[in-house]
Amino acid sequence: MLRKNPLLAAAIALMMVFGAGSAFAENIVIKGSTTVLPIAQEVAEAYMKAYPDVKITISGGGSGNGIKAIIDGTTDIADSSRFIKDKEVKLALEKGAYPVPFAVAYDSIVPVVHPTNPIEDISLEDLKKIYMGKVTNWKELGGPDMKIVVISRDTSSGTYEVWEEKVMEKERVYPGALLQASNGAIATSVAKNKNAVGYVGIGYLNDEIKALTVGGIEGNKDTTLSGKFPISRALFMFTSGWPTGETMNFINFTMHPDKGQKYVEKVGFVPLW
Amino acid sequence: MANKRNTTEKTMQAIFFSVATASIAILFMIMLFLFMEGLPIFKEVSVSDFLFGKYWYPTSDPADFGIFPLIIASLAVTALASAIAIPLGVMTAVYLAELASRRVAEIVKPLVELLAALPSVVIGFFGMVIVAPFLQDVFNLPTGLNMFNAALMLAFMSIPTITSISEDAIYSVPTALKEGSMALGATHWETLLRVILPASISGIATAVILGMSRAIGETMVVLMVAGGATMIPGSIFDPVRPMPASIAAEMAEAPFRGDHYYALFATGIVLFLFTLLFNIIADQIAHRYRQVGEASL
């Protein structure tokens, strides 16, 4: 039974794709990145409220699995926290699929410290050194003589992914870094520890933690959208070919400033405009 | 008439038998699933690299799947928690069974057992928000989220188990033994130490081991207060990441049936083997040192 499960799931997904042709209940299948998942969920909920005869099925599985599903034609929309890779484009073209990307939101990660920490600004290199365990005291960065307590996210989270890509540049976060399992938990533990440094999605900043500027640039909506803030990335939804019908309608809904983009902000990401 | 009673008897027996087998079958299926989802990782890494590898970088490229720091963390936290919980738990039990007046015992015992009713997430939150800053200030530590904090919280959680089961064991020591000892001129203290404790040692040992297996399997508390660093701790104030914390933090977003997913299930297998071992030991002790009647002392 368990071994049959993936087959069963694929069969159900296929039925949904083909079922989309029927005149009564329209179905949209969304798969992929768990980072984009909360956006897709919120938007889909609002969409189904606005169009009650449309049924949207959402599942995670990671960006790679989402794009694979677009190539195999087992989903209508693939969520992805990264752009499609060359290898995947090639594979798609071989299989006759033509993935079309839509940037639906930006994900911006801000380094944070305790409010009593006098440090205001930090460079990308220093951040990298801290997270590699090479810089271990705040005084090396011109702060007080205190040990740095490094707080990181669990390695499977999308937030960690951005951090690894933009700050660590292939280097590993050293094993002595503390782990917290959510943005909220990082915010709480940084707020409770004057030695700590952590990083959170821009939507999780609050008064109890101090956001650092990175290389003199404050992480906010404007610097993210202009591309000046270095620790950010676009989040995508891919469709197979230029979308039509319900899928087109859903993508439009997601990108609409008063509809989908409202929910992007609600779940802690930066909306497109 | 007798025939009908017989049928009822048989039916009832069959019903109870199937209920009993159902729970065993469920346990067996969970085990089967655990092994099915965990074993494939050993195609990627060898068993010894997995168990004794020092680096846990499941999402890097190339990935490292070494859970040695996690195993050490689990064992260290459990040992430290036991060192706190066993003396407190057993002494509380002795007090409740032998020394406390009945009225005090009737109030204190339910209160201790109530401690077990606290949800682990509440204890974890308490550790994170109250105990961590306190430890940090008092011991002047870089972080209060560490092994000691986790052990303290786990001790809170295993004390009720240890106390409650030990108390039952001590209480059920036959009065004749106690009276015999007293009649020979032993003081209450001597009786307690030389007669009552040895007579109830199997029950107390079972209690201790059940308390320890509760501590090693506890997830929420260690996830919240142990700190989560995947390194081998150098002191009891270092942050650590026990196995359940790693599984809980990473499982939700590990790609389904990817290497990371398999590795987390394999970690689950290791954890399962540890608790199984604890239970087998508890069972052995309970059998070997069982007090049979009054003659075996």
Side-chain angles (χ1 to χ4, degrees):
Chain A
M1 181 61 202
L2 285 167
R3 288 195 176 265
K4 281 184 192 159
N5 242 347
L7 273 180
L8 201 71
I12 292 171
L14 271 176
M15 274 162 57
M16 283 170 172
V17 173
F18 291 121
S22 68
F24 297 103
E26 297 273 0
N27 282 318
I28 303 176
V29 180
I30 303 176
K31 243 187 219 177
S33 167
T34 44
T35 312
V36 192
L37 193 66
I39 300 179
Q41 272 167 341
E42 286 285 340
V43 175
E45 214 167 280
Y47 190 84
M48 285 191 278
K49 217 172 259 171
Y51 306 89
D53 51 340
V54 180
K55 231 182 139 269
I56 304 178
T57 317
I58 306 173
S59 59
S63 304
N65 282 338
I67 291 177
K68 194 166 161 287
I70 273 289
I71 296 171
D72 296 340
T74 54
T75 185
D76 299 308
I77 295 172
D79 289 341
S80 177
S81 55
R82 58 168 173 80
F83 200 68
I84 190 165
K85 292 178 183 165
D86 289 351
K87 226 168 39 184
E88 289 163 339
V89 175
K90 228 174 251 170
L91 188 69
L93 293 178
E94 270 168 31
K95 292 206 174 181
Y98 191 82
V100 180
F102 295 90
V104 293
Y106 286 90
D107 189 4
S108 214
I109 312 294
V110 186
V112 291
V113 293
H114 194 265
T116 58
N117 195 321
I119 303 242
E120 300 283 343
D121 177 64
I122 194 163
S123 68
L124 272 183
E125 288 94 291
D126 283 342
L127 273 178
K128 186 174 162 186
K129 280 184 197 152
I130 290 176
Y131 274 83
M132 281 171 72
K134 284 185 173 166
V135 171
T136 56
N137 197 309
W138 285 111
K139 78 177 171 205
E140 291 172 64
L141 302 170
D145 183 8
M146 293 190 308
K147 217 181 152 206
I148 302 179
V149 171
V150 180
I151 306 181
S152 185
R153 280 292 304 278
D154 50 295
T155 48
S156 42
S157 67
T159 312
Y160 175 84
E161 231 172 70
V162 185
W163 195 258
E164 192 186 29
E165 190 185 315
K166 305 287 180 184
V167 177
M168 300 311 290
E169 295 169 317
K170 307 267 175 199
E171 293 293 342
R172 291 171 162 187
V173 171
Y174 87 119
L178 270 65
L179 159 128
Q180 290 296 347
S182 67
N183 275 304
I186 290 216
T188 310
S189 42
V190 170
K192 292 277 168 204
N193 189 340
K194 58 188 189 313
N195 303 339
V197 59
Y199 53 85
V200 296
I202 207 167
Y204 291 87
L205 290 176
N206 62 40
D207 296 339
E208 295 184 330
I209 50 181
K210 183 161 99 179
L212 295 179
T213 55
V214 178
I217 296 157
E218 189 191 333
N220 60 27
K221 196 175 156 185
D222 295 332
T223 52
T224 301
L225 292 180
S226 67
K228 272 190 196 148
F229 188 69
I231 318 171
S232 69
R233 63 175 172 180
L235 300 175
F236 296 94
M237 286 187 180
F238 283 87
T239 57
S240 185
W242 190 256
T244 52
E246 272 317 320
T247 310
M248 179 79 235
N249 208 9
F250 180 77
I251 294 276
N252 279 338
F253 187 88
T254 307
M255 303 189 35
H256 196 287
D258 296 332
K259 293 172 184 165
Q261 292 300 309
K262 240 174 38 194
Y263 300 101
V264 166
E265 200 155 7
K266 189 178 156 199
V267 290
F269 296 103
V270 181
L272 295 173
W273 23 71
Chain B
M1 199 56 190
N3 208 358
K4 190 185 170 195
R5 197 185 291 163
N6 229 341
T7 332
T8 322
E9 179 87 358
K10 284 240 170 77
T11 328
M12 288 317 282
Q13 209 166 11
I15 289 173
F16 277 91
F17 177 74
S18 51
V19 169
T21 21
S23 58
I24 294 174
I26 290 169
L27 177 70
F28 184 74
M29 283 196 296
I30 292 175
M31 263 174 63
L32 191 75
F33 176 73
L34 190 61
F35 279 90
M36 252 172 51
E37 302 291 290
L39 291 179
I41 190 63
F42 298 116
K43 282 184 215 148
E44 299 296 322
V45 291
S46 68
V47 177
S48 68
D49 280 351
F50 183 72
L51 291 179
F52 299 112
K54 289 206 179 70
Y55 297 102
W56 174 252
Y57 286 100
T59 53
S60 299
D61 196 16
D64 270 330
F65 298 105
I67 63 165
F68 192 62
L70 312 183
I71 296 177
I72 293 295
S74 274
L75 294 180
V77 165
T78 308
L80 192 58
S82 309
I84 302 169
I86 293 171
L88 285 175
V90 174
M91 285 196 274
T92 312
V94 168
Y95 171 73
L96 288 178
E98 287 294 322
L99 305 171
S101 68
R102 173 169 293 186
R103 197 198 262 162
V104 174
E106 267 171 9
I107 297 169
V108 175
K109 196 179 182 195
L111 280 180
V112 171
E113 278 165 1
L114 201 65
L115 205 56
L118 276 181
S120 55
V121 64
V122 173
I123 295 185
F125 193 68
F126 175 71
M128 193 173 183
V129 179
I130 312 272
V131 180
F134 175 75
L135 286 178
Q136 196 180 347
D137 287 346
V138 170
F139 295 100
N140 195 21
L141 303 169
T143 173
L145 298 173
N146 56 32
M147 196 165 114
F148 183 70
N149 190 346
L152 211 56
M153 295 302 114
L154 289 181
F156 272 149
M157 301 186 72
S158 32
I159 284 174
T161 312
I162 296 177
T163 302
S164 172
I165 301 176
S166 303
E167 202 259 353
D168 289 344
I170 295 169
Y171 195 73
S172 60
V173 171
T175 335
L177 280 178
K178 211 167 119 185
E179 286 169 351
S181 170
M182 298 285 220
L184 287 170
T187 61
H188 193 178
W189 173 246
E190 283 166 345
T191 307
L192 195 64
L193 214 61
R194 307 265 173 85
V195 176
I196 294 176
L197 279 183
S200 53
I201 195 69
S202 83
I204 294 176
T206 313
V208 163
I209 292 189
L210 288 179
M212 282 171 76
S213 62
R214 164 129 208 218
I216 202 172
E218 172 52 39
T219 307
M220 205 59 209
V221 165
V222 291
L223 178 63
M224 291 171 83
V225 305
T230 47
M231 58 175 189
I232 295 163
S235 92
I236 59 167
F237 294 117
D238 275 351
V240 290
R241 190 190 308 184
M243 292 183 273
S246 199
I247 299 174
E250 295 166 32
M251 185 53 92
E253 303 192 43
F256 183 61
R257 300 222 159 122
D259 287 344
H260 189 185
Y261 173 92
Y262 290 136
L264 290 174
F265 267 96
T267 314
I269 295 177
V270 174
L271 192 60
F272 170 71
L273 293 180
F274 271 114
T275 39
L276 188 68
L277 188 73
F278 279 172
N279 279 317
I280 290 172
I281 293 173
D283 206 43
Q284 284 290 322
I285 292 174
H287 276 100
R288 184 169 302 169
Y289 299 108
R290 184 158 47 186
Q291 172 67 18
V292 188
E294 287 146 42
S296 67
L297 253 187

